[in-house]
Amino acid sequence: DARTDLGSKLASVAWDDQGIHADTCCWTDPVIVGLILYSLLENAADAQKGQADALIRLSARMREDWVELRVEDKGTGISAANRDRLFTLGFTTKADSLGSALAFARVRAKQMGAELRLASPQPQLGAAFELLLPANETSWARATAPASS
């Protein structure tokens, strides 16, 4: 199953959780956030396949009414030519991929009032993504409110 597959990919990866506090919380759907993080972690593990020093760095910080989760790896990074297409359905750099994970992850994030983006600036080595989640009901209500005409 998918969890076993991800578990085997992550077995040889070192972790650095950057001291994420247990009381860090956000106003969101934990199942959808889990699906998004699954995609980000799987991509991070795939980018470092076979690397002896594979590392995934997770961090969280408050940004006003938002929680910013950051997933960073030490893989090959993302070329400038591919950055604009990363979240496009069907775009992939992997031979065995459909190019749907990041596209669906971004749609899922938007549906729950969050934002998934490529971090800027990128690390010198590897890639980093940020998931901004509403930290409270007020920021969630603002993010999910219908656009006024």
Side-chain angles (χ1 to χ4, degrees), residues 11 28 30 34 55 92 99 121 126 131 143:
T28 190
L55 172 72
T92 185
L131 179 61

Side-chain angles (χ1 to χ4, degrees), residues 1-11 37-38 41-43 45:
D1 86 340
R3 286 178 286 173
T4 304
D5 184 46
L6 181 59
S8 66
K9 288 181 180 185
L10 296 175
L37 288 174
Y38 182 101
L41 293 173
E42 182 175 48
N43 282 348

